[in-house]
Coordinates of all heavy atoms in Angstrom, one line a residue:
R20 N 0.8 -1.2 0.0 CA 0.0 0.0 0.0 C 0.8 1.3 0.0 O 0.3 2.3 -0.4 CB -0.9 0.0 1.2 CG -1.9 -1.1 1.3 CD -3.0 -0.9 2.4 NE -2.3 -0.9 3.7 CZ -2.2 0.2 4.4 NH1 -2.7 1.4 4.0 NH2 -1.6 0.2 5.6
F21 N 2.1 1.2 0.5 CA 3.0 2.3 0.5 C 4.2 2.1 -0.4 O 4.6 0.9 -0.6 CB 3.5 2.5 1.9 CG 2.5 3.2 2.9 CD1 1.3 2.6 3.2 CD2 2.8 4.4 3.5 CE1 0.4 3.2 4.0 CE2 1.9 5.0 4.3 CZ 0.7 4.4 4.6
T22 N 4.7 3.2 -0.9 CA 5.9 3.1 -1.7 C 6.9 4.2 -1.3 O 6.5 5.4 -1.1 CB 5.6 3.3 -3.2 OG1 4.7 2.3 -3.6 CG2 6.9 3.2 -4.0
I23 N 8.1 3.8 -1.0 CA 9.2 4.8 -0.7 C 10.1 4.9 -1.9 O 10.4 3.9 -2.6 CB 10.0 4.4 0.6 CG1 10.9 5.6 1.0 CG2 10.7 3.1 0.4 CD1 11.6 5.4 2.3
S24 N 10.5 6.2 -2.2 CA 11.3 6.4 -3.4 C 12.2 7.6 -3.2 O 12.0 8.3 -2.1 CB 10.4 6.6 -4.7 OG 9.6 7.7 -4.5
R25 N 13.0 7.9 -4.1 CA 13.9 9.1 -4.0 C 14.2 9.7 -5.3 O 13.9 9.1 -6.4 CB 15.3 8.6 -3.4 CG 16.1 7.7 -4.3 CD 17.3 7.2 -3.6 NE 18.1 6.3 -4.5 CZ 19.1 5.7 -4.1 NH1 19.6 5.7 -2.8 NH2 19.8 4.9 -5.0
D26 N 14.6 10.9 -5.3 CA 15.0 11.6 -6.6 C 16.3 11.2 -7.1 O 17.1 10.5 -6.3 CB 14.8 13.1 -6.5 CG 15.8 13.7 -5.5 OD1 16.6 13.0 -4.9 OD2 15.8 15.0 -5.4
N27 N 16.7 11.6 -8.3 CA 18.0 11.2 -8.8 C 19.2 11.7 -8.1 O 20.2 11.0 -8.0 CB 18.1 11.6 -10.3 CG 17.1 10.9 -11.2 OD1 16.7 9.7 -10.9 ND2 16.7 11.5 -12.3
A28 N 19.0 12.8 -7.5 CA 20.1 13.4 -6.7 C 20.3 12.9 -5.3 O 21.2 13.2 -4.6 CB 20.0 15.0 -6.6
K29 N 19.3 12.0 -4.9 CA 19.3 11.4 -3.6 C 19.1 12.4 -2.5 O 19.5 12.1 -1.3 CB 20.5 10.5 -3.4 CG 20.7 9.4 -4.4 CD 21.9 8.6 -4.1 CE 22.1 7.5 -5.1 NZ 23.3 6.7 -4.8
S30 N 18.6 13.6 -2.8 CA 18.4 14.6 -1.8 C 17.0 14.6 -1.2 O 16.7 15.3 -0.2 CB 18.8 16.0 -2.4 OG 18.0 16.3 -3.5
T31 N 16.1 14.0 -1.9 CA 14.7 14.0 -1.5 C 14.1 12.6 -1.5 O 14.3 11.8 -2.5 CB 13.8 14.9 -2.4 OG1 14.4 16.2 -2.4 CG2 12.4 15.0 -1.8
V32 N 13.4 12.2 -0.5 CA 12.7 10.9 -0.5 C 11.2 11.2 -0.4 O 10.8 12.2 0.2 CB 13.2 10.0 0.7 CG1 14.7 9.6 0.5 CG2 13.0 10.7 2.0
F33 N 10.5 10.2 -0.9 CA 9.0 10.3 -0.9 C 8.4 9.1 -0.3 O 8.9 8.0 -0.3 CB 8.6 10.5 -2.4 CG 9.2 11.6 -3.1 CD1 10.4 11.3 -3.9 CD2 8.7 12.9 -3.1 CE1 11.0 12.3 -4.6 CE2 9.4 13.9 -3.8 CZ 10.5 13.6 -4.6
L34 N 7.2 9.3 0.2 CA 6.4 8.3 0.7 C 5.0 8.4 0.1 O 4.4 9.5 0.3 CB 6.3 8.3 2.3 CG 5.5 7.1 2.9 CD1 6.3 5.8 2.7 CD2 5.3 7.4 4.4
Q35 N 4.5 7.4 -0.6 CA 3.3 7.5 -1.3 C 2.3 6.3 -0.9 O 2.8 5.2 -0.6 CB 3.5 7.4 -2.8 CG 4.3 8.5 -3.4 CD 4.5 8.4 -4.8 OE1 3.6 8.8 -5.6 NE2 5.6 7.8 -5.3
S36 N 1.1 6.6 -0.8 CA 0.1 5.6 -0.6 C -1.2 6.0 -1.3 O -1.5 7.2 -1.4 CB -0.2 5.4 0.9 OG -1.3 4.5 1.1
N37 N -1.9 5.0 -1.8 CA -3.2 5.3 -2.4 C -4.4 4.6 -1.7 O -5.5 4.6 -2.2 CB -3.2 4.8 -3.9 CG -3.0 3.4 -4.0 OD1 -2.9 2.6 -3.1 ND2 -2.8 2.9 -5.3
S38 N -4.1 4.2 -0.4 CA -5.1 3.5 0.3 C -4.9 3.7 1.8 O -4.7 2.7 2.6 CB -5.2 2.1 0.0 OG -3.9 1.5 0.1
L39 N -5.0 4.9 2.3 CA -4.7 5.2 3.7 C -5.9 4.7 4.6 O -7.0 4.8 4.2 CB -4.6 6.7 3.9 CG -3.2 7.3 3.6 CD1 -3.2 8.8 3.8 CD2 -2.1 6.7 4.4
K40 N -5.5 4.2 5.7 CA -6.5 3.7 6.7 C -6.6 4.7 7.8 O -5.6 5.5 8.1 CB -6.0 2.4 7.3 CG -5.9 1.3 6.3 CD -5.4 0.0 6.9 CE -5.3 -1.1 5.9 NZ -4.8 -2.4 6.6
P41 N -7.8 4.8 8.5 CA -7.9 5.8 9.6 C -6.9 5.6 10.7 O -6.5 6.6 11.3 CB -9.4 5.4 10.1 CG -10.1 5.0 8.9 CD -9.0 4.1 8.1
V42 N -6.5 4.3 11.0 CA -5.5 4.1 12.0 C -4.1 4.6 11.7 O -3.2 4.7 12.6 CB -5.4 2.6 12.4 CG1 -6.7 2.1 12.9 CG2 -5.0 1.8 11.1
E43 N -3.9 5.1 10.5 CA -2.7 5.6 10.1 C -2.5 7.1 10.2 O -1.6 7.7 9.8 CB -2.4 5.2 8.6 CG -2.1 3.7 8.5 CD -2.0 3.1 7.1 OE1 -2.7 3.6 6.2 OE2 -1.2 2.2 6.9
K44 N -3.5 7.7 10.9 CA -3.4 9.1 11.3 C -2.3 9.2 12.3 O -2.2 8.5 13.3 CB -4.7 9.5 12.0 CG -4.6 10.9 12.6 CD -5.9 11.3 13.3 CE -5.8 12.6 14.0 NZ -7.0 13.0 14.7
A45 N -1.3 10.0 12.0 CA -0.1 10.1 12.9 C 0.7 11.3 12.4 O 0.5 11.9 11.3 CB 0.7 8.9 12.8
V46 N 1.7 11.6 13.2 CA 2.8 12.5 12.7 C 3.8 11.7 12.0 O 4.3 10.7 12.6 CB 3.4 13.3 13.9 CG1 4.5 14.2 13.4 CG2 2.3 14.2 14.5
Y47 N 4.1 12.0 10.8 CA 5.1 11.2 10.0 C 6.5 12.0 10.1 O 6.5 13.2 9.8 CB 4.6 11.1 8.6 CG 3.6 10.0 8.5 CD1 2.3 10.2 9.0 CD2 3.8 8.8 7.9 CE1 1.3 9.2 8.9 CE2 2.9 7.8 7.8 CZ 1.6 8.0 8.3 OH 0.6 7.1 8.2
Y48 N 7.5 11.3 10.4 CA 8.9 11.8 10.5 C 9.8 11.2 9.5 O 9.8 10.0 9.3 CB 9.4 11.6 11.9 CG 8.7 12.2 13.1 CD1 7.6 11.6 13.7 CD2 9.0 13.5 13.5 CE1 6.9 12.2 14.7 CE2 8.3 14.1 14.5 CZ 7.3 13.4 15.1 OH 6.6 14.0 16.2
C49 N 10.7 12.0 9.0 CA 11.7 11.6 8.1 C 13.0 11.4 9.0 O 13.3 12.2 9.8 CB 12.0 12.6 7.0 SG 13.3 12.2 5.8
R50 N 13.7 10.3 8.7 CA 15.0 10.0 9.4 C 16.1 9.8 8.4 O 15.9 9.1 7.4 CB 14.8 8.8 10.3 CG 16.1 8.6 11.2 CD 16.0 7.3 11.9 NE 16.1 6.1 11.1 CZ 16.3 4.9 11.5 NH1 16.3 4.6 12.8 NH2 16.4 3.9 10.7
A51 N 17.3 10.2 8.7 CA 18.5 10.0 7.9 C 19.6 9.4 8.8 O 19.8 9.9 9.9 CB 19.0 11.2 7.2
K52 N 20.3 8.4 8.3 CA 21.4 7.8 9.1 C 22.6 8.1 8.2 O 22.7 7.9 7.0 CB 21.2 6.3 9.3 CG 20.0 6.0 10.2 CD 19.8 4.5 10.4 CE 21.0 3.9 11.1 NZ 20.7 2.4 11.3
T53 N 23.7 8.5 8.9 CA 25.0 8.8 8.3 C 26.1 7.9 8.9 O 26.0 7.5 10.1 CB 25.4 10.2 8.3 OG1 25.6 10.6 9.7 CG2 24.3 11.1 7.7
R54 N 27.1 7.7 8.1 CA 28.3 7.0 8.6 C 29.5 7.8 8.1 O 29.7 7.8 6.9 CB 28.3 5.6 8.2 CG 29.5 4.8 8.8 CD 29.4 3.3 8.4 NE 30.5 2.6 9.0 CZ 30.4 2.0 10.2 NH1 29.4 2.1 11.0 NH2 31.5 1.3 10.7

């Protein structure tokens, strides 16, 4: 139901869904991990 993707520059990520459920009401946070 969800798809995560990124742009060619790898500077932006996306989260898409076409079938959200009521229980998925929430604050959505982006996280990045570096090494």
